[in-house]
Amino acid sequence: MSAIQCCLNGSRGLDEHPSVPLTPQACAREALAAVAAGATDLHVHPRTADGRDSVAAEHVGAWVTAVREVVDVRVGVTTGAWAWSGPTGATAAVAGWEVLPDHASVNWHEAAAEAVCAALQERGVAINIGLWSERDAEEWLDSAWVEATDLVLVELPDVGDQVEVAERMLAMVRPTGRPVLLHGEGRSAWEMVDLAGRAGVATRIGLEDVLEGPDGAEVGGNADLVSLALGRLGGR
């Protein structure tokens, strides 16, 4: 059975789903429920008081600490370019973290990707590389960061049938021997869960990626998504 990471909130708001956590305390509640349902790893987007994604030390520290107080699994954060603010840039923000997440995702197509990887490596935070396309995969494979990558995230968008694209990307990255996590979003979320099961790689699910179950019915929260994914993977 594939391991399941739960992505608890992403950049979504309460207008999209009432269970999207916007505070550290709400995130802790969703984390506890998701882990109880079977999630083995967590990915969160720390927020400012007014709900914007943030990688500032105060927000990363508050969110990671709140989650760790209630669950004993690895916790990671985003480093997406939209979450950076202020004049210092990505590397300075990572350098200022006082509470370190276990891992952080780096979108390989973003201009600062390699600088962010270097900053994470300096702090001892595991690097999760996000590949959104076959071009991303090619460029990552040609980089100096393959061996330093703790987890390869093959991430498929909500654009038509993504199975063949995902299969090609898996064929590209799996020969490196680096651990792989496959996931989609929206309409591709559930087909990627199924493909991950067939391929024997980790997967993820959560309110960041999808708001409905495989049958199109809205779910109550992250724990419901984890339970549904485990059911499709043959788990509890």
Side-chain angles (χ1 to χ4, degrees):
M1 183 181 65
S2 301
I4 296 184
Q5 180 186 86
C6 188
C7 48
L8 295 168
N9 59 346
S11 300
R12 295 190 187 273
L14 294 176
D15 58 327
E16 296 177 85
H17 195 285
S19 292
V20 171
L22 301 183
T23 67
Q25 295 73 27
C27 192
R29 290 193 296 270
E30 282 293 300
L32 182 61
V35 171
T40 56
D41 189 280
L42 299 171
H43 172 74
V44 303
H45 286 212
R47 304 289 188 92
T48 62
D50 60 359
R52 293 177 291 111
D53 284 3
S54 173
V55 291
E58 63 181 298
H59 304 124
V60 170
W63 284 65
V64 171
T65 297
V67 171
R68 283 182 175 156
E69 286 177 349
V70 297
V71 295
D72 185 21
V73 300
R74 286 164 62 85
V75 183
V77 301
T78 184
T79 66
W82 61 88
W84 302 105
S85 62
T88 55
T91 56
V94 172
W97 287 351
E98 297 177 358
V99 176
L100 297 178
D102 296 291
H103 52 80
S105 61
V106 179
N107 297 319
W108 193 251
H109 66 275
E110 293 180 354
E114 294 194 65
V116 175
C117 286
L120 294 171
Q121 186 178 59
E122 177 69 21
R123 299 302 311 277
V125 177
I127 299 167
N128 292 183
I129 294 294
L131 305 177
W132 292 17
S133 67
E134 291 171 82
R135 179 177 178 179
D136 284 355
E138 291 170 354
E139 293 181 353
W140 172 74
L141 288 166
D142 286 339
S143 79
W145 287 97
V146 173
E147 290 301 315
T149 298
D150 183 70
L151 181 67
V152 183
L153 308 173
V154 176
E155 307 185 273
L156 279 298
D158 183 5
V159 183
D161 185 354
Q162 294 292 318
V163 172
E164 291 186 2
V165 176
E167 289 174 337
R168 290 196 297 270
M169 291 180 68
L170 289 175
M172 295 170 71
V173 303
R174 294 186 79 176
T176 66
R178 309 316 300 157
V180 177
L181 183 153
L182 170 66
H183 78 91
E185 62 179 27
R187 289 169 294 177
S188 71
W190 292 107
E191 64 183 9
M192 292 304 110
V193 168
D194 293 342
L195 178 56
R198 296 194 299 271
V201 299
T203 190
R204 90 174 198 186
I205 203 73
L207 292 176
E208 175 175 352
D209 291 338
V210 66
L211 305 177
E212 303 87 20
D215 61 357
E218 186 174 286
V219 296
N222 286 290
D224 288 351
L225 291 169
V226 172
S227 294
L228 288 166
L230 277 171
R232 296 178 79 81
L233 294 169
R236 54 181 173 146

